């Protein structure tokens, strides 16, 4: 059972891993970065507890501890109980969700680790908005995509905001980086994936008719620039989501959700 420890002093060093989250955990290149992963709120904490990300501590108010009491029976880590005011001083802002869990980063998974049993995956290039990344994971969980791969210039999927927007699914949907981008996509093809690059080009066939493979990798780029030509050329086919004339593109997470749904509908 998680041990409950009361914290009355915001300067208590035992809660240093939760301190000043707006600045302390923002960039991978900072020398002081600890590489920690945070779950915010009861739902996301539960999903962390049910993932490969093992929490080392929790910080929260009594009300949230009571909600999590059954989940914490098998967890031998401290639950630092504080008032909302003390917690806000530690974290650096008022946390409406009332509880945080922190975990270290396990070793990164490789491509083969995440695609072995998958039939539908997303592959991203240049998607550097954390909210889009988080929404991508949430959409994948809800619509049956089994993995996400990251090419060049993508945001950190374990950044606090990405995990929060994903509702914790960034901790559960497996992901990996594609080495030697975009040539690493050849590994997908060798594993039987049809690589489908999404484009707004009206000359491309509709997505519903383009996805013909038993295993499909949906290649998506950032809003605005979209996929690079090199990435497009690495795909087997380019496809579009039919849109109203005069609309140039969709939000990338929205486009992914529509593609996941269409794929689930025809599988």
């Amino acid at each position: 059972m998680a041990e409950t420890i009361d914290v009355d002093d915001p300067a208590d060093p035992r809660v240093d891993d939760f301190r000043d989250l707006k600045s302390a955990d923002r960039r991978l290149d900072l020398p002081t970065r600890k590489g920690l992963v945070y779950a915010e709120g009861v739902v996301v904490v539960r999903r962390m507890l049910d993932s490969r990300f093992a929490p080392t501590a929790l910080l929260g108010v009594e009300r949230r501890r009571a909600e999590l009491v059954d989940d914490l029976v098998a967890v031998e880590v401290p639950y630092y109980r504080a008032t909302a005011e003390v917690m806000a001083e530690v974290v650096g802002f008022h946390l409406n969700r009332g509880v945080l869990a922190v975990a270290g980063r396990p070793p990164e998974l490789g491509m083969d680790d995440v695609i072995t049993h998958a039939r539908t995956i997303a592959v991203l290039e240049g998607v550097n908005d954390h909210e889009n990344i988080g929404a991508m994971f949430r959409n994948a969980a809800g619509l049956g995509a089994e993995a996400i791969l990251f090419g060049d210039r993508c945001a950190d999927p374990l950044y606090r905001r990405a995990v929060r927007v994903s509702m914790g699914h960034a901790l559960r949907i497996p992901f990996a980086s594609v080495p030697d981008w975009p040539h690493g996509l050849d590994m997908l093809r060798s594993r039987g994936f049809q690589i489908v690059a999404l484009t707004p080009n009206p000359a491309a066939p509709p997505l519903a008719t383009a996805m013909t493979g038993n295993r499909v990798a949906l290649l998506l780029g950032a809003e605005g620039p979209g996929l690079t030509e090199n990435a497009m050329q690495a795909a087997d086919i380019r496809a579009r989501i039919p849109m109203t004339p005069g609309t140039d593109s969709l939000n990338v997470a929205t486009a992914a959700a529509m593609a996941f749904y269409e794929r689930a509908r025809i599988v």
Side-chain angles (χ1 to χ4, degrees), residues 119-195:
R119 294 185 65 192
T120 305
I121 66 173
V123 186
L124 310 183
E125 180 189 48
V127 180
N128 56 13
D129 181 273
H130 292 102
E131 294 190 5
N132 280 336
I133 294 288
M136 193 82 61
F137 277 98
R138 189 173 182 180
N139 294 338
L143 295 167
E146 297 100 337
I148 296 179
L149 298 179
F150 292 94
D152 277 353
R153 299 172 288 106
C154 289
D156 178 10
L158 297 178
Y159 172 66
R160 181 173 55 86
R161 187 184 304 160
V163 174
R164 184 186 71 228
V165 172
S166 80
M167 290 301 295
H169 291 296
L171 307 175
R172 302 179 70 183
I173 298 288
F175 63 87
S177 296
V178 179
D180 190 23
W181 181 263
H183 306 293
L185 293 173
D186 289 339
M187 181 188 294
L188 292 177
R189 192 173 291 104
S190 72
R191 302 298 191 272
F193 281 91
Q194 178 196 24
I195 303 172

Side-chain angles (χ1 to χ4, degrees), residues 228-251:
T228 62
E229 186 58 29
N230 284 341
M232 288 278 199
Q233 290 179 2
D236 297 310
I237 190 170
R238 306 182 189 196
R240 62 182 171 87
I241 296 172
M243 292 185 292
T244 303
T247 305
D248 61 350
S249 65
L250 295 171
N251 169 276

Side-chain angles (χ1 to χ4, degrees), residues 5 84 86 144 150 198 242:
I5 300 172
V86 168
F150 292 94
L198 270 68

